[in-house]
Amino acid sequence: MKKIFKSIVVVALLMNFSCADDYLDTIPTDAVSASSVFTSTQNAMTALNGIHRMLLLRFDSQGQAAEGAVMIMRDVMSEDLVMTTQGNGWYVSFSRWQNHNLETSGDSRFVWRYYYRVIGNANMILAGIDAAEGPQEEKDEITGQALAYRAWAHFNLVQLYGERYDAAGGNTQLGVPIVLEPITEGGARNTVEEVYAQINADLDAAIGLLDESRNAKSHLNINVAKGIKARVAATQGNYSLAATLANEAREGYSLMSQDALYDGFNNVDNEEWIWGSHQVDDQQTYFASYFAYMSLNFSSTNIRNNPKAISSKLYDMISDTDARKGLWDPNASDPDLRDPYIDEMTLSSFAKIDYMNRKFIAQGNASSVGDVPYMRTAEMILLEAESLARSGNDAAAADVLFELASARDDAYTKTTNTGAALIEEIMVQRRIELWGEGFRFYDLKRLNLPLDRTGSNHVESVINGKFTEPAGTNNWQWQIPIDELNANENMVQNPS
């Protein structure tokens, strides 16, 4: 891992600590040394803002736009997001379950490096914050956010590169190296159990330091930390805790209206968003953007030729009275039947393919600017409902599910399903609601479910015939990048 940490820098923004607008809406200008960052809490907050910004940054290629790119990678590996054509090639290899299995893959290297860079910068902050001049409450806020980021990044890494957590116990299988210092020498892989123990320790400490306040939704507060811990608890099969934390995470956040569903999922000011990245208009990332690959309307080669679609199988599960059904057009290829909005928002040169999405809308045909959602009230409601149902509390789970489903579908009546049927109903609602937001691969892995794309509109030539993958195979673990293996004599590769 030493190559990851050799050149860790803290991205600096010219900002005013007390003003959220100045704090977020300035252009990153330089890298600053740790010695100057930790002279004050104001400078330390600048370093923390570098992590916030990192979630939107382009790495080595246009398809490596930090968190948005990893979200796409995870979803194209699932059954619910359909790559309608090969387009210009971006993410096709992931849809075929090939790229993540190559230790020489530049994309796997990017993902590994990206999350460890978040960890490295968080560790620099944690190592220096005590010496900074400033109020203790500011030190607590900075420390809490850095701890939450470190936990979140380790959580993503262990889900991708480690074996799934087994709630039955043991979990001595290899996870990823735990890194708690800004070091330059790589260590051995910790067990999955050890990684999750550290994730929970960091989140507990963060929750103890944070409150509901923050400068902007791109920052982490106690709601975000509890939401992350709810995800962790569900992944570990601790459903009672997951239900409690998911409920607490959404306190103070309401569901968006049915009309707002059609606003483009591009505005962090949406009342339902708990956490998301805000992209400033004059910080255009062009083709290195989540919306350059997922939106309906940005005029990139990828969007024009390869509009992202929903699985027809999942689409057919959506009630006709559900407001979300209009987020995809099953008749897009037919000019007489297609949603007029598809034509209104796209140029004549855009491909119109059945089941294509209109969920994500970029700022314009020439602008891929858009805020990226990482945590929403709807996710927390569904996680709470799922966790209650898996805990055997069917009545409470049905009540929580009704809160979301009735807001999306005026005709929805409270379910009478129980047991496995109730869990399945909740999971279908989760797949519909969170389509394209990066959750499905993680859900399949944590629940030890197979990939099954059969009977749907997946294109055989696009996915290279990859319609199925049994649960629990070695293919669910990403290969450790060759650069890490070469740099770290303690590193062990995953079986292929």
Side-chain angles (χ1 to χ4, degrees):
M1 195 173 304
K2 57 188 175 185
K3 286 203 173 181
I4 295 174
F5 292 110
K6 251 181 190 176
S7 59
I8 287 178
V9 295
V10 183
V11 179
L13 300 186
L14 298 174
M15 57 83 180
N16 183 319
F17 183 79
S18 63
C19 178
D21 288 338
D22 289 344
Y23 187 71
L24 292 173
D25 292 353
T26 50
I27 299 173
T29 58
D30 200 0
V32 292
S33 68
S35 60
S36 62
V37 164
F38 300 113
T39 56
S40 69
T41 51
Q42 180 175 350
N43 286 350
M45 189 63 90
T46 306
L48 180 65
N49 207 44
I51 304 181
H52 303 320
R53 280 279 305 144
M54 194 186 299
L55 272 60
L56 281 178
L57 293 181
R58 169 177 172 159
F59 279 64
D60 291 336
S61 79
Q62 69 182 55
Q64 297 176 359
E67 191 58 24
V70 187
M71 289 163 60
I72 296 171
M73 291 172 185
R74 297 194 301 255
D75 263 356
V76 299
M77 291 181 71
S78 79
E79 75 275 45
D80 292 340
L81 193 153
V82 173
M83 300 276 279
T84 55
T85 74
Q86 293 186 40
N88 57 350
W90 295 107
Y91 306 114
V92 171
S93 183
F94 275 100
S95 75
R96 296 173 172 179
W97 280 56
Q98 294 172 345
N99 216 355
H100 77 296
N101 276 332
L102 298 173
E103 64 180 23
T104 56
S105 164
D107 287 326
S108 182
R109 173 181 177 270
F110 142 66
V111 175
W112 180 272
R113 187 167 62 110
Y114 158 56
Y115 285 121
Y116 272 116
R117 182 176 282 183
V118 171
I119 291 168
N121 281 13
N123 284 336
M124 289 183 70
I125 292 169
L126 293 168
I129 188 62
D130 286 344
E133 292 290 331
Q136 186 59 46
E137 57 266 28
E138 291 179 4
K139 292 184 181 182
D140 289 347
E141 180 186 2
I142 293 165
T143 300
Q145 291 195 61
L147 286 166
Y149 266 127
R150 188 168 74 181
W152 171 79
H154 276 113
F155 183 45
N156 280 289
L157 284 162
V158 76
Q159 289 180 97
L160 295 172
Y161 295 94
E163 291 186 37
R164 65 179 291 273
Y165 190 93
D166 186 352
N171 292 298
T172 58
Q173 64 272 32
L174 291 179
V176 294
I178 298 171
V179 181
L180 304 180
E181 300 175 87
I183 58 175
T184 58
E185 295 296 327
R189 296 173 69 176
N190 291 87
T191 67
V192 167
E193 184 64 45
E194 289 169 339
V195 177
Y196 275 86
Q198 184 61 51
I199 290 167
N200 280 304
D202 280 349
L203 288 171
D204 288 342
I207 289 168
L209 291 168
L210 297 171
D211 58 24
E212 293 80 6
S213 65
R214 55 181 163 174
N215 284 1
K217 286 186 183 178
S218 59
H219 297 202
L220 313 185
N221 66 359
I222 192 170
N223 299 79
V224 176
K226 286 182 175 181
I228 296 169
K229 189 169 172 65
R231 294 172 180 173
V232 174
T235 304
Q236 292 185 278
N238 188 348
Y239 293 116
S240 176
L241 178 61
T244 297
L245 288 167
N247 179 272
E248 293 176 357
R250 62 187 179 95
E251 287 181 3
Y253 296 87
S254 57
L255 289 169
M256 71 179 86
S257 68
Q258 292 181 10
D259 288 342
L261 289 169
Y262 291 85
D263 288 344
F265 282 78
N266 56 15
N267 188 349
V268 76
D269 291 331
N270 185 299
E271 61 191 332
E272 185 172 309
W273 288 30
I274 300 172
W275 178 31
S277 279
H278 172 56
Q279 185 173 12
V280 182
D281 289 356
D282 61 3
Q283 294 177 22
Q284 167 73 269
T285 52
Y286 298 100
F287 304 110
S289 163
Y290 179 76
F291 288 87
Y293 299 93
M294 288 297 298
S295 70
L296 166 67
N297 60 317
F298 177 61
S299 187
S300 65
T301 301
N302 195 275
I303 294 295
R304 290 195 304 270
N305 297 335
N306 178 23
K308 308 309 179 292
I310 191 173
S311 160
S312 57
K313 206 163 159 180
L314 178 59
Y315 181 85
D316 289 343
M317 298 179 192
I318 307 175
S319 166
D320 289 342
T321 54
D322 192 322
R324 294 170 297 186
K325 197 154 191 172
L327 295 175
W328 302 275
D329 187 352
N331 302 304
S333 65
D334 188 336
D336 294 327
L337 296 177
R338 82 170 61 116
D339 182 349
Y341 190 79
I342 298 287
D343 283 325
E344 178 186 335
M345 289 295 290
T346 61
L347 306 176
S348 60
S349 58
F350 281 48
K352 312 296 193 302
I353 300 176
D354 290 346
Y355 299 100
M356 64 187 284
N357 94 91
R358 55 166 290 185
K359 177 176 178 177
F360 299 105
I361 309 294
Q363 189 177 71
N365 290 136
S367 172
S368 65
V369 166
D371 300 343
V372 183
Y374 305 138
M375 184 182 295
R376 297 194 286 117
T377 305
E379 181 214 341
M380 290 296 113
I381 291 174
L382 289 162
L383 188 56
E384 181 183 353
E386 177 194 346
S387 298
L388 288 167
R390 294 189 189 278
S391 302
N393 195 341
D394 290 347
D399 287 342
V400 173
L401 177 62
F402 181 78
E403 185 178 348
L404 173 72
S406 62
R408 302 299 193 233
D409 182 351
D410 292 335
Y412 181 84
T413 57
K414 188 183 296 185
T415 184
T416 58
N417 284 329
T418 59
L422 175 58
I423 293 171
E424 177 62 19
E425 181 180 352
I426 293 167
M427 295 308 294
V428 169
Q429 286 282 342
R430 181 176 171 88
R431 291 166 64 187
I432 296 165
E433 180 68 34
L434 301 178
W435 181 92
E437 296 179 52
F439 290 94
R440 187 56 179 165
F441 175 83
Y442 282 163
D443 285 350
L444 290 172
K445 185 169 180 177
R446 72 178 170 90
L447 298 170
N448 204 29
L449 296 173
L451 173 74
D452 182 5
R453 294 165 164 170
T454 60
S456 185
N457 53 326
H458 284 276
V459 183
E460 183 170 8
S461 61
V462 174
I463 61 173
N464 200 31
K466 186 63 178 180
F467 285 98
T468 62
E469 178 66 34
T473 68
N474 291 335
N475 288 333
W476 290 90
Q477 283 70 251
W478 292 29
Q479 292 284 290
I480 307 296
I482 189 66
D483 284 2
E484 178 65 17
L485 293 167
N486 291 338
N488 181 359
E489 63 183 10
N490 300 306
M491 183 55 59
V492 177
Q493 182 60 278
N494 284 322
S496 57

